[in-house]
């Protein structure tokens, strides 16, 4: 149950692109054609599935306060969490390089289709963001961390696939000249993000208490939704 | 500006308008959008990026001849990550509330594409002083957009600027609220950041036709 909840939450409610704006750069740059978008999306799922559990292990056994206690009593008070940025990004960069070498050796077909996207991924904010959110949300088991990695990757995949399809279609439309290209993509993404907000209530229904949302940004969003709802109610009255 | 030659000055002015990192080069969007619901957060983020970009460009440029090309991405990431840790610790020490608001987005400066993009495109090929100026220029261009977006979102969304109630008090109905004005809570929501940037792009490109791209 926990797994299913996390899965849907990461794909729809906390969608990497639409809710937290992570991975925007590659989302905008590589979404001109559906085929390349699929390649990048698949590569992101792949890399996130590896790096999030790996960084979870690092966080749990090296970085967190008291995590070093397995080394012996005298290390129990160490808190290395200020090193997490550098450890996470080093892990990601190394893993991307390793994955690239392994895939090239054992699955040349896959390498040809993912090929150029793998190095790009090292600097994709969605990947680092996945690890940082994993840390700040205090995900409990490695299974859940793996689940979170895969489902966030799927969320990114869906987003980039959708925008690529729309951009392929919009090429035949008469967009106002200054908005062509980047401008209209921004506005469409904004509209899609509004659409994705409607998933927000999906997991808060029922008897369970709504999961606590940590990031301040989400709180702002919540507040604003409340205001909007109040206004709506007022109008209806 | 007697200190800077014309060519160097161009490195600062170009990214502010016709070569803006956000609206033209499409770099660094991620963090630009997520934290602009308040003007204060936008300004702090801009300062953080200014610091990281200036020093990062300088460092990479100083090391450009000794970095092996094959592992340059890892080297660049380590340099940025170190600078970002400094920023993060300073924020936590002197502006704890704000660092909570920015949450993971300070960490995400590491993968801010502006920084990697400028390292690749400029610092690896130019001397330290010019790289430093280029870093500052691009960070200012980034800051400009962030501040504009933050200004409009905070003003229209909550009727305040930097926390001051410039439009009057919505509960006691003073200022413009006396005439029935309402805050547009929608501006605080994440999607409006995208649409605001879209509108900035629209305005900029209709003023300068050379920037218009194909569909």
């Amino acid at each position: 149950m926990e797994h299913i909840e996390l899965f849907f939450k990461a794909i729809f409610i906390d969608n990497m692109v639409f809710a937290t704006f992570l991975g925007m750069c590659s989302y905008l740059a590589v979404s001109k054609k559906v085929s390349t978008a699929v390649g990048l999306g698949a590569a992101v799922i792949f890399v996130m599935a590896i790096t999030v559990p790996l960084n979870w292990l690092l966080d749990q056994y090296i970085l967190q306060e008291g995590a070093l206690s397995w080394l012996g009593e005298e290390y129990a008070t160490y808190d290395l969490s200020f090193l997490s940025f550098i450890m996470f990004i080093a892990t990601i960069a190394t893993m991307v390089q390793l994955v690239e070498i392994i895939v090239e050796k054992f699955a040349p077909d896959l390498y040809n289709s993912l090929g150029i996207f793998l190095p790009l991924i090292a600097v994709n904010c969605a990947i680092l963001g996945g690890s940082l959110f994993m840390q700040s949300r205090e995900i409990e088991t490695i299974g859940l961390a793996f689940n979170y990695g895969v489902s966030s990757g799927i969320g990114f995949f869906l987003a980039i696939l959708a925008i690529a399809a729309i951009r392929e279609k919009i090429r035949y439309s008469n967009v106002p000249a200054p908005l062509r290209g980047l401008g209209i993509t921004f506005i469409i993404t904004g509209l899609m993000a509004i659409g994705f907000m409607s998933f927000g209530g999906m997991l808060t229904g029922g008897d369970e208490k709504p999961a606590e949302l940590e990031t301040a940004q989400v709180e702002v969003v919540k507040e604003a939704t409340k205001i909007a709802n109040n206004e709506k109610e007022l109008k209806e009255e | 500006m007697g200190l800077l030659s014309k060519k160097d000055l161009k490195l600062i002015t170009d990214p502010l308008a016709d070569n803006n990192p956000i609206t033209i080069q499409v770099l660094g969007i991620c963090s630009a959008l997520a934290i602009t619901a308040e003007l204060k957060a936008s300004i702090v983020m801009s300062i953080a990026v200014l610091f990281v970009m200036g020093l990062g460009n300088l460092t990479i440029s100083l090391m450009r001849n000794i970095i092996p090309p094959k592992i340059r991405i890892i080297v660049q990431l380590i340099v940025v990550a170190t600078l970002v840790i400094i920023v993060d610790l300073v924020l936590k020490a002197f502006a704890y509330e704000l660092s909570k608001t920015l949450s993971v987005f300070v960490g995400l400066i590491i993968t801010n594409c502006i920084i990697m993009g400028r390292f690749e495109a400029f610092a690896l090929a130019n001397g330290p002083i010019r790289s430093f100026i280029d870093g500052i220029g691009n960070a200012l261009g980034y800051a400009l957009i962030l501040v504009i977006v933050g200004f409009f979102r905070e003003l229209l969304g909550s009727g305040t600027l930097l926390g001051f109630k410039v439009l009057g008090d919505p509960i006691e109905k003073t200022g413009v609220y006396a005439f029935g004005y309402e805050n547009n809570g929608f501006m605080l929501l994440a999607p409006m950041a995208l649409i605001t940037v879209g509108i900035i792009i629209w305005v900029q490109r209709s003023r300068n036709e050379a920037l218009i791209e194909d569909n």
Side-chain angles (χ1 to χ4, degrees):
Chain A
M1 190 55 216
E2 217 179 346
H3 276 274
I4 298 171
E5 193 178 317
L6 184 73
F7 184 75
F8 284 106
K9 196 163 174 253
I11 294 182
F12 293 110
I13 302 174
D14 293 333
N15 186 293
M16 276 287 166
V17 175
F18 296 128
T20 47
F21 298 120
L22 299 180
M24 263 296 169
C25 306
S26 34
Y27 166 87
L28 290 169
V30 197
S31 61
K32 284 202 174 117
K33 271 167 66 190
V34 170
S35 52
T36 49
V38 169
L40 180 75
V44 168
I45 298 182
F46 197 64
V47 173
M48 282 198 85
I50 298 173
T51 57
V52 175
L54 208 64
N55 282 334
W56 183 87
L57 285 175
L58 270 181
D59 185 44
Q60 211 70 12
Y61 293 107
I62 297 182
L63 296 172
Q64 264 180 18
E65 193 176 357
L68 281 173
S69 52
W70 56 273
L71 269 179
E73 279 296 302
E74 64 270 38
Y75 297 101
T77 52
Y78 281 33
D79 180 7
L80 296 180
S81 52
F82 67 94
L83 282 178
S84 44
F85 293 156
I86 211 163
M87 293 286 271
F88 285 178
I89 197 69
T91 317
I92 290 168
T94 339
M95 278 319 295
V96 169
Q97 209 104 57
L98 261 182
V99 165
E100 197 183 346
I101 294 167
I102 293 170
V103 170
E104 189 180 9
K105 176 88 178 151
F106 293 103
D109 285 346
L110 185 65
Y111 180 76
N112 285 335
S113 53
L114 297 185
I116 48 164
F117 299 118
L118 279 173
L120 259 183
I121 281 178
V123 287
N124 187 333
C125 356
I127 310 281
L128 181 63
S131 290
L132 289 177
F133 275 126
M134 175 272 297
Q135 191 190 30
S136 73
R137 284 177 193 167
E138 289 164 7
I139 285 181
E140 272 153 22
T141 65
I142 190 162
L144 282 173
F146 176 73
N147 182 343
Y148 183 69
V150 173
S151 43
S152 307
I154 294 176
F156 181 84
F157 180 86
L158 274 183
I160 197 167
L161 189 64
I163 193 74
I166 293 176
R167 283 180 83 170
E168 271 192 7
K169 283 275 175 207
I170 216 165
R171 212 165 295 149
Y172 306 105
S173 318
N174 188 14
V175 180
L179 268 181
R180 262 176 216 159
L182 193 58
I184 195 72
T185 315
F186 264 100
I187 290 177
I188 293 170
T189 311
L191 295 176
M192 283 163 82
I194 295 173
F196 264 70
M197 276 167 51
S198 59
F199 289 115
M202 202 162 74
L203 291 179
T204 49
D207 298 324
E208 272 180 68
K209 266 196 204 156
E212 232 177 90
L213 304 162
E214 293 90 334
T215 55
Q217 195 218 347
V218 181
E219 265 161 38
V220 171
V221 171
K222 246 168 93 186
E223 203 106 299
T225 338
K226 226 190 277 164
I227 296 171
N229 284 342
N230 287 346
E231 275 171 359
K232 218 163 91 206
E233 276 166 23
L234 280 178
K235 260 184 209 146
E236 275 164 12
E237 280 172 21
Chain B
M1 295 270 249
L3 269 172
L4 302 170
S5 67
K6 224 174 199 168
K7 220 165 119 200
D8 289 343
L9 197 62
K10 215 166 141 43
L11 286 175
I12 289 198
T13 51
D14 253 12
L16 284 178
D18 290 348
N19 198 15
N20 189 287
I22 294 184
T23 59
I24 310 295
Q25 300 177 47
V26 209
L27 297 172
I29 318 274
C30 329
S31 54
L33 301 174
I35 44 90
T36 46
E38 283 172 58
L39 188 54
K40 200 172 167 197
S42 319
I43 292 174
V44 170
M45 190 69 179
S46 308
I47 295 171
V49 169
L50 191 74
F51 172 80
V52 175
M53 276 224 63
L55 286 187
N57 248 358
L58 182 70
T59 320
I60 291 291
S61 167
L62 285 172
M63 301 200 301
R64 70 186 187 281
N65 294 325
I66 53 167
I67 300 176
K70 275 202 169 160
I71 58 157
R72 65 173 195 286
I73 295 202
I74 298 184
V75 175
Q76 289 164 358
L77 286 173
I78 300 293
V79 170
V80 192
T82 319
L83 289 168
V84 168
I85 289 177
I86 297 175
V87 170
D88 188 45
L89 291 179
V90 168
L91 273 184
K92 273 189 184 140
F94 295 106
Y96 188 70
E97 284 304 310
L98 212 59
S99 86
K100 278 270 174 230
T101 321
L102 294 175
S103 71
V104 299
F105 293 99
V106 178
L108 288 171
I109 299 178
I110 299 172
T111 46
N112 193 322
C113 338
I114 289 190
I115 294 176
M116 297 300 287
R118 290 327 289 177
F119 282 1
E120 287 282 302
F122 202 92
L124 281 176
N126 287 282
I129 297 174
R130 295 199 55 196
S131 300
F132 182 68
I133 298 171
D134 178 78
I136 298 288
N138 275 286
L140 286 176
Y142 172 84
L144 183 71
I145 301 293
L146 240 69
V147 169
I148 295 176
V149 177
F151 177 83
F152 282 110
R153 284 182 73 191
E154 191 178 343
L155 184 68
L156 300 177
S158 36
T160 56
L161 280 179
L162 293 171
F164 295 109
K165 294 179 176 141
V166 287
L167 294 183
D169 198 312
I171 298 161
E172 291 167 13
K173 301 277 176 216
T174 57
V176 288
Y177 296 100
F179 305 104
Y181 174 82
E182 289 284 345
N183 282 328
N184 183 1
F186 205 59
M187 288 301 284
L188 293 178
L189 299 183
M192 283 314 289
L194 282 163
I195 293 177
T196 317
V197 175
I199 293 170
I200 293 174
I201 293 174
W202 192 356
V203 172
Q204 188 184 16
R205 293 191 183 182
S206 49
R207 285 167 58 97
N208 187 347
E209 308 252 315
L211 298 173
I212 292 173
E213 48 185 321
D214 298 334
N215 233 342

